[in-house]
């Protein structure tokens, strides 16, 4: 019920491009969010997803996050993980469009899972160097096999609990993009957010998945919006997108996507 009420509030408060007065956000909305997706990218994403949905084998899941609202058992069929718990086709396509629009060179992803979101990041910009973190060894192995099968290059999968693996990462260059989709708990989300702040530059942006997943995540999103380094945020209900552009006035948008 919490998520239903949050969605009703979102629908009441959200707007489209006609209610946006920021040129930066207006261009992002009209030239990315509402633009017709590239047909090649759409076909590539569809082929990758179909390959995973065709996998009927089962794997044991190790979950260090908030757990699943869908599955009761840790033994799960791969195709069911993709179908019921993975990123949807529409969101994967939008993620690919966002990556294509901004062309980030260095990307960090929290939560590889089966690699569908990672594939969207890669397809959007094949030249991006993607570092993706996954807590579960078995899902990480499936994702890596998929990347090899589709010849997705420049993707490094790091397996282990985020609190342990994150501290070992040393980025020579700043991070252009961070996609948070690995732990839907307030304390962990804010911890990862603050850690990644040390790698940002003026054009960096973060995407937080499931910001309305729980009251806890909504509280985390509110704290992120208030951070002094955060200048522009966009709430699409499913995602919270954060920008650090110093030339922008601090402003928050709720946009129907």
């Amino acid at each position: 019920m919490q998520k239903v009420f949050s969605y009703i509030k979102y629908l009441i408060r959200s707007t489209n491009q006609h209610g946006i007065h920021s040129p930066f956000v207006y261009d992002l909305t009209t030239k990315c969010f509402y633009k017709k997706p590239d047909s090649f990218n759409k076909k590539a994403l569809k082929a990758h997803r179909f390959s995973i949905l065709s996998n009927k084998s089962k794997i044991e899941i190790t979950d260090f996050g908030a757990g699943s609202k869908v599955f009761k058992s840790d033994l799960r069929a791969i195709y069911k993980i993709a179908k019921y718990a993975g990123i949807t086709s529409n969101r994967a396509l939008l993620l690919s469009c966002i990556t294509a629009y901004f062309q980030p060179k260095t990307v960090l992803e929290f939560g590889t899972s089966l690699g569908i979101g990672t594939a969207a990041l890669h397809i959007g910009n094949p030249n991006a160097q993607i570092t993706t973190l996954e807590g579960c060894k078995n899902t990480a192995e499936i994702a890596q096999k998929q990347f090899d099968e589709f010849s997705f290059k420049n993707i490094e999968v790091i397996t282990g609990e985020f609190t342990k693996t994150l501290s070992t990462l040393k980025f020579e260059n700043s991070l252009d993009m961070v996609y948070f989709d690995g732990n839907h708990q307030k304390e962990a989300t804010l911890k990862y957010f603050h850690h990644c702040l040390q790698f940002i530059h003026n054009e960096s942006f973060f995407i937080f998945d499931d910001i309305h997943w729980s009251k806890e995540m909504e509280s985390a999103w509110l704290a992120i919006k208030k951070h002094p380094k955060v200048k522009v945020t966009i709430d699409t209900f499913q995602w919270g997108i954060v920008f650090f552009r110093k030339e922008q006035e601090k402003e928050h948008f709720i946009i129907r996507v």
Side-chain angles (χ1 to χ4, degrees):
M1 290 302 296
Q2 174 269 334
K3 200 165 185 178
V4 171
F5 288 138
S6 294
Y7 188 63
I8 292 172
K9 286 170 59 179
Y10 162 79
L11 288 177
I12 293 171
R13 299 169 60 193
S14 61
T15 186
N16 56 22
Q17 73 270 29
H18 300 298
I20 298 171
H21 303 293
S22 163
F24 171 74
V25 178
Y26 180 85
D27 283 349
L28 174 60
T29 303
T30 56
K31 298 178 181 179
C32 178
F33 293 166
Y34 295 166
K35 183 181 177 182
K36 185 178 179 180
D38 182 89
S39 59
F40 177 83
N41 290 358
K42 193 172 183 178
K43 290 178 181 178
L45 285 168
K46 187 176 181 179
H48 181 265
R49 176 180 289 273
F50 180 79
S51 176
I52 296 177
L53 289 174
S54 301
N55 193 332
K56 307 299 181 182
S57 58
K58 294 183 178 181
I59 56 174
E60 190 81 22
I61 298 296
T62 302
D63 195 334
F64 295 105
S68 173
K69 291 185 177 181
V70 177
F71 298 103
K72 304 302 180 184
S73 170
D74 290 335
L75 185 63
R76 303 170 191 174
I78 291 171
Y79 81 95
K80 286 188 176 181
I81 298 173
K83 186 175 181 180
Y84 299 113
I87 186 172
T88 65
S89 297
N90 287 338
R91 274 193 286 135
L93 185 58
L94 180 59
L95 185 61
S96 178
C97 290
I98 292 172
T99 312
Y101 182 79
F102 286 109
Q103 290 290 294
K105 295 179 181 178
T106 54
V107 180
L108 174 62
E109 177 187 35
F110 287 83
T112 316
S113 187
L114 299 174
I116 300 176
T118 321
L121 294 168
H122 171 81
I123 289 169
N125 181 16
N127 295 318
Q129 180 61 53
I130 301 172
T131 301
T132 180
L133 310 180
E134 175 53 46
C136 177
K137 178 176 179 291
N138 291 334
T139 51
E141 288 178 353
I142 297 298
Q144 186 62 64
K145 288 179 181 178
Q146 290 293 125
F147 301 153
D148 293 341
E149 179 183 339
F150 283 85
S151 299
F152 291 164
K153 307 298 183 182
N154 306 323
I155 301 175
E156 181 183 13
V157 182
I158 299 178
T159 307
E161 194 173 355
F162 294 165
T163 53
K164 297 178 181 178
T165 58
L166 189 58
S167 61
T168 66
L169 297 179
K170 305 296 181 184
F171 296 99
E172 294 183 5
N173 299 312
S174 300
L175 283 169
D176 297 328
M177 175 183 182
V178 183
Y179 179 47
F180 299 84
D181 185 24
N183 190 321
H184 294 18
Q185 299 178 92
K186 178 181 178 180
E187 183 179 351
T189 299
L190 292 178
K191 182 178 180 179
Y192 306 149
F193 166 67
H194 285 109
H195 181 88
C196 291
L197 285 176
Q198 65 184 299
F199 301 113
I200 65 170
H201 55 83
N202 196 59
E203 305 304 319
S204 299
F205 67 99
F206 293 174
I207 299 179
F208 294 87
D209 187 57
D210 276 338
I211 57 172
H212 296 287
W213 192 76
S214 64
K215 288 184 178 180
E216 191 179 359
M217 282 301 292
E218 289 187 330
S219 179
W221 175 238
L222 182 61
I224 289 166
K225 289 167 64 177
K226 290 180 178 179
H227 194 279
K229 288 189 176 181
V230 171
K231 285 303 187 75
V232 174
T233 70
I234 299 174
D235 180 346
T236 69
F237 188 73
Q238 186 65 44
W239 288 339
I241 308 177
V242 172
F243 298 93
F244 305 94
R245 296 160 55 87
K246 295 178 181 178
E247 65 272 26
Q248 301 277 153
E249 293 293 329
K250 195 174 185 74
E251 198 167 3
H252 306 295
F253 299 86
I254 304 175
I255 300 175
R256 292 189 293 273
V257 176

